[in-house]
């Protein structure tokens, strides 16, 4: 009798968990997805992500209700969370985007930035490296990795090579000058240690 009552109670609890309206992250079938609508809402949100973050968030959540598997909306929602300092939510969205956009470097780059801000320096270095494995000449990742290594005193034999590439390839004078200045600092530091 007790086992039967427990069994009935468990069924009621399980049924209760299934009730309620589906959220934007509820399962979607391919037939129910509307990628064009999700893309349109994502573009609208991207245009106002910094000027009107509340509306942008609503648009991005609506985009995901149309297509949960639309990676750019996850990436932009992550950017919104990152700008608000919500690192856990940001990293979760960047992970979604990374899985949904396997050949695109942006979600990985954004995840690396989030990890660094969260104090997970080694994980951030590994994530920047994953971006560079995917796109070896991707300057934002090269700059991010080199500056992270310099800021956290993690410079290694690859740091100067990154800085050399940045100084040679960047079309931005400010970035080229920054890279050259960092190269000079590293070389000065090496000369002092060699004495």
């Amino acid at each position: 009798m007790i086992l039967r009552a427990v069994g009935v109670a468990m069924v009621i609890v399980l049924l209760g968990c299934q009730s309620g309206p589906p959220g934007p992250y509820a399962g979607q079938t391919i037939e129910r997805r509307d990628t064009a609508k999700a893309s349109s809402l994502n573009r609208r949100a991207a245009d106002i992500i910094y000027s009107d973050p509340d509306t942008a968030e609503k648009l991005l959540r609506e985009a995901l209700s149309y297509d949960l598997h639309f990676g750019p909306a996850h990436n932009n929602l992550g950017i919104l969370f990152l700008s608000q300092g919500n690192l856990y939510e940001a990293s979760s969205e960047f992970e979604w985007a990374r899985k949904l956009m396997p050949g695109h470097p942006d979600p990985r780059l954004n995840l690396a930035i989030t990890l660094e801000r969260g104090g997970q320096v080694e994980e951030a270095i590994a994530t920047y490296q994953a971006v560079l494995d995917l796109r070896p000449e991707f300057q934002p990742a090269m700059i991010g990795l080199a500056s992270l290594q310099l800021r956290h005193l993690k410079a290694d034999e690859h740091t100067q090579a990154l800085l050399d590439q940045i100084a040679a390839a960047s079309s931005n004078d400010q970035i080229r000058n920054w890279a050259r200045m960092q190269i000079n600092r590293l070389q000065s530091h090496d000369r002092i240690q060699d004495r």
Side-chain angles (χ1 to χ4, degrees):
M1 183 70 161
I2 293 176
L3 288 177
R4 185 172 181 205
V6 170
V8 169
M10 287 180 66
V11 168
I12 291 171
V13 169
L14 289 173
L15 288 174
C17 291
Q18 294 175 1
S19 65
Y25 289 59
Q28 291 177 345
T29 62
I30 292 175
E31 298 81 33
R32 282 194 56 226
R33 288 167 46 185
D34 187 345
T35 303
K37 182 71 172 171
S39 179
S40 173
L41 290 164
N42 180 62
R43 281 192 304 274
R44 286 177 47 204
D47 289 341
I48 60 168
I49 201 163
Y50 296 109
S51 62
D52 189 356
D54 291 337
T55 302
E57 182 176 350
K58 287 176 189 167
L59 290 169
L60 291 168
R61 290 190 185 280
E62 186 178 354
L64 292 171
S65 74
Y66 281 99
D67 187 352
L68 177 62
H69 301 282
F70 190 65
H74 285 287
N75 190 59
N76 283 335
L77 191 55
I79 290 169
L80 181 70
F81 289 145
L82 180 60
S83 72
Q84 297 169 344
N86 299 326
L87 302 181
Y88 180 80
E89 292 86 353
S91 64
S92 177
E93 292 300 328
F94 294 139
E95 282 291 345
W96 266 88
R98 181 186 63 79
K99 291 174 186 171
L100 295 169
M101 303 164 61
H104 204 289
D106 288 353
R108 288 170 174 79
L109 179 69
N110 293 331
L111 180 59
I113 293 166
T114 304
L115 290 167
E116 182 183 4
R117 287 190 187 171
Q120 298 180 12
V121 175
E122 296 302 325
E123 292 85 352
I125 289 171
T127 305
Y128 276 122
Q129 191 57 57
V131 176
L132 293 172
D133 291 345
L134 183 66
R135 298 255 179 102
E137 304 295 320
F138 191 57
Q139 276 216 1
M142 293 166 54
I143 294 166
L145 178 56
S147 62
L148 178 147
Q149 289 177 316
L150 294 167
R151 269 193 310 279
H152 294 280
L153 305 176
K154 300 277 184 181
D156 60 18
E157 64 277 2
H158 302 293
T159 309
Q160 183 160 342
L162 282 172
L163 292 167
D164 289 337
Q165 284 181 277
I166 294 165
S170 180
S171 60
N172 182 307
D173 289 338
Q174 197 172 8
I175 292 173
R176 265 197 326 272
N177 291 337
W178 170 81
R180 289 178 183 139
M181 186 173 67
Q182 299 308 318
I183 291 167
N184 290 336
R185 285 184 181 169
L186 284 176
Q187 290 173 345
S188 294
H189 183 264
D190 289 346
R191 281 193 297 271
I192 290 170
Q193 287 194 340
D194 288 342
R195 291 181 184 173

